[in-house]
Amino acid sequence: QVQLVESGGGLVQAGGSLRLSCAASGSVFSINTMGWYRQAPGKQRELVATITSGGSTNSANSVKGRFTISRDNAKNMVYLQMNSLKPEDTAVYYCNADGYVPGTFIKTNYWGQGTQVTVSS
């Protein structure tokens, strides 16, 4: 099993920055792609950014140029640097990891508990 724990959320003014962290523990060798998703009140959960084990990244158009996802495989950590924050970025941010159930060819996904990001105008 893999456990994901997010940290770094909070309240920030528009134009400010936050850095979210996600620590993975357990059977971390099973992880391939990791990512960040967010869900605002009344909206569906949406992709923010993903990063593969090799370091290839993708991000939503709404955050390109402002958010940067990174990964430290040695520390089993993934980060989301959030700059130039806007009120519309307000959401619960979730860490995600996908891979395989250890010792099998069964795909699975893991989710953190979420961390609240609130951007005031």
Side-chain angles (χ1 to χ4, degrees):
Q1 275 288 330
V2 172
Q3 296 81 45
L4 303 175
V5 179
E6 303 103 328
S7 62
L11 175 65
V12 66
Q13 292 182 323
S17 298
L18 285 173
R19 191 191 193 204
L20 305 184
S21 299
C22 175
S25 61
S27 301
V28 294
F29 54 84
S30 71
I31 296 173
N32 292 317
T33 300
M34 299 187 71
W36 290 94
Y37 293 73
R38 67 186 182 186
Q39 187 167 21
K43 295 185 178 181
Q44 295 182 319
R45 187 173 297 187
E46 65 177 357
L47 171 72
V48 177
T50 61
I51 184 167
T52 69
S53 60
S56 297
T57 62
N58 284 310
S59 61
N61 289 334
S62 60
V63 305
K64 286 183 178 177
R66 299 189 299 120
F67 293 6
T68 302
I69 189 169
S70 61
R71 183 170 181 168
D72 187 336
N73 291 325
K75 295 182 178 180
N76 299 314
M77 299 282 289
V78 64
Y79 308 94
L80 186 68
Q81 180 65 48
M82 309 165 66
N83 298 325
S84 302
L85 283 161
K86 304 175 181 179
E88 51 262 45
D89 295 318
T90 296
V92 177
Y93 284 71
Y94 297 91
C95 182
N96 170 265
D98 72 345
Y100 295 90
V101 176
T104 77
F105 295 109
I106 302 171
K107 288 187 175 182
T108 190
N109 289 278
Y110 303 95
W111 292 92
Q113 80 286 353
T115 185
Q116 177 70 48
V117 172
T118 302
V119 184
S120 62
S121 60

